[in-house]
Amino acid sequence: MTLRSLPIALAISLAGLTATAATQDPAADTSPDRARANFARPIELAPDDVRLFAEPPAEYRTLPGDTLRGELHSFEYDSAVTRTRRKAQVYLPPGYSAEQRYPVLYLLHGIGGNEHEWTGYVKADAILDSLIAAKKAVPMIVVFPNGRARADDGVPENPFTPENAAAFAAFERDLFDHLIPAIERNFPVRSDATHRALAGLSMGGGQTFNFGLTHLDSFSWIGAFSAAPNTRPPAELVPNPAETRARLKLLYISCGNKDGLINFSQAMHVYLKQHDVPHLWNVDDHGHNGETWGSNLYHFAQRLFR
Ligand code: FER
C-alpha cells in the first residue's frame, strides 16, 4: 500500500508521522543499537527521489600523471572550545597564487572520520584537482576540519556514543569562533558569505544543515550528503523560508537510495518543497559510502561560486 493510494486526509496524517519519525536523535540518545536501527529504517522512495545527475566519468578520481595538482597542507589553530591546539587540512588548488583571493569550502567528515576522511578513501583532492584543472570548477581553497570538537578528538573505537555525538554539536562554536578566523588570518580566502561554502557527509551533513541554514550570513552555498540523525528538524532550521530563499545561492542535498538514513534528507526535501525553498535533491543508487560522497562532491563542486 502506498500513501498515494490512501484517502487524502489519512495519507497526510501518515505522511506527517513519517516526517516526525525522521526528526533528529538528540546526541544523548546516541548508541550502537540506535545507529543500527537508524541504518535499518525501511526505505520508501517517493516520486521526487530520483537522480538529478549521472554518475561521474569512471576516471573522475584517478588522475592522469600530467594533471596539474593542488597541494594539501596541515594546519593548526588554538581553540577555546576544546582548550587544545586543533588540526585541519587545507587544500590549495592547482595554479594557486598567494597574490589571489579565493572562495573557500569547509568540508566536514562523518561520525567515524577525521580531517583525513575526505582526502583518504573519498579522494576529494583528486576530484577537485581534475575539475579545477579542466576548468569545470572555480579554483577554491578547501578546509577539511576535525569536526569532533573535544580535547581527545581522535576517532573513537565506538563512535556511537553520546559524548562523540555531543562533540560534533560542539564544533559549531569551534568553527565560527576559532577555525574560520584562523583560516582567514593565514590563507588568502574571501570572507563574505557569497564566497564561503559549507558541506559535509553524514554527521558532517547534519552539521552542515544545522550550522549552515542557521548562519546564512556566513555561508551562501550549502551541501549535505547522506545527512545523519543529528540533523535538526527542518522547521527549526528554516523557520522563515522567504529569508532562506533570498539568501541562499545553492542548497544541494543528496543521499543514496540504499541508505537507511535517507528519511532525514527526504524530510528536508519535502519541507523545502512545501515552502518553496529552491534546492537540488539528488538521489543516487548508492548506500552510505564513499561512492555517493565522491560522486556528489563532483557535482556540487562544479556548481559552487558561480
Ligand atoms: C546514527 C546513525 C548514523 C547516528 C549517527 C550516524 C548520531 C552517523 C553516521 C556517519 O556519520 O557516517 O544513529 O546517531
Side-chain angles (χ1 to χ4, degrees):
M1 184 172 63
T2 65
L3 279 185
R4 282 186 306 159
S5 67
L6 293 171
I8 190 72
L10 180 58
I12 287 171
S13 64
L14 286 181
L17 275 180
T18 312
T20 310
T23 53
Q24 130 187 90
D25 277 1
D29 289 347
T30 305
S31 71
D33 282 347
R34 192 88 183 206
R36 261 190 295 278
N38 279 327
F39 280 120
R41 280 167 183 258
I43 297 172
E44 278 188 42
L45 297 175
D48 284 358
D49 302 343
V50 293
R51 263 186 193 285
L52 284 186
F53 306 117
E55 280 300 290
E59 69 286 5
Y60 81 110
R61 44 184 171 178
T62 43
L63 296 176
D66 57 356
T67 306
L68 203 51
R69 304 297 313 261
E71 285 177 10
L72 275 178
H73 292 261
S74 343
F75 178 66
E76 293 192 359
Y77 63 103
D78 291 311
S79 171
V81 172
T82 58
R83 300 169 191 250
T84 56
R85 197 156 172 78
R86 307 204 71 223
K87 291 193 168 64
Q89 285 207 97
V90 178
Y91 167 88
L92 304 178
Y96 171 81
S97 153
E99 309 307 313
Q100 283 183 38
R101 303 224 312 142
Y102 292 89
V104 57
L105 163 64
Y106 291 81
L107 196 47
L108 310 178
H109 60 78
I111 198 158
N114 61 15
E115 70 274 21
H116 298 287
E117 180 168 27
W118 272 105
T119 53
Y121 67 96
V122 190
K123 301 196 166 70
D125 49 336
I127 296 169
L128 293 160
D129 283 348
S130 60
L131 288 175
I132 293 169
K135 301 201 184 324
K136 288 184 175 167
V138 171
M140 64 184 93
I141 290 180
V142 182
V143 180
F144 300 95
N146 178 322
R148 183 181 296 103
R150 63 177 185 185
D152 175 4
D153 61 8
V155 175
E157 205 166 306
N158 166 22
F160 296 104
T161 60
E163 296 74 22
N164 190 39
F168 279 77
F171 180 64
E172 181 167 0
R173 291 301 2 133
D174 183 47
L175 173 68
F176 288 107
D177 300 344
H178 305 293
L179 178 57
I180 290 177
I183 290 292
E184 291 182 350
R185 285 192 300 272
N186 286 279
F187 293 94
V189 291
R190 301 182 67 168
S191 56
D192 55 309
T194 57
H195 294 94
R196 240 201 243 125
L198 183 64
L201 69 87
S202 201
M203 281 299 269
Q207 288 175 312
T208 295
F209 278 139
N210 296 348
F211 312 160
L213 290 173
T214 55
H215 292 89
L216 296 173
D217 50 336
S218 294
F219 300 102
S220 307
W221 309 82
I222 291 179
F225 316 128
S226 322
N230 61 331
T231 303
R232 283 170 48 200
E236 273 179 31
L237 295 175
V238 185
N240 183 345
E243 192 187 332
T244 304
R245 196 180 306 131
R247 300 185 91 157
L248 265 180
K249 297 269 190 210
L250 173 66
L251 175 52
Y252 182 112
I253 304 171
S254 68
C255 197
N257 65 15
K258 300 185 177 63
D259 185 340
L261 304 186
I262 192 172
N263 44 100
F264 295 95
S265 298
Q266 286 171 319
M268 186 67 76
H269 161 69
V270 166
Y271 179 90
L272 294 170
K273 186 173 175 180
Q274 278 169 354
H275 294 85
D276 280 325
V277 178
H279 60 286
L280 299 178
W281 170 222
N282 186 43
V283 178
D284 65 26
D285 301 319
H286 298 296
H288 197 77
N289 59 40
E291 301 301 315
T292 187
W293 301 325
S295 170
N296 281 287
L297 175 63
Y298 175 87
H299 294 299
F300 176 66
Q302 295 182 59
R303 288 165 177 80
L304 282 181
F305 310 124
R306 301 221 185 248

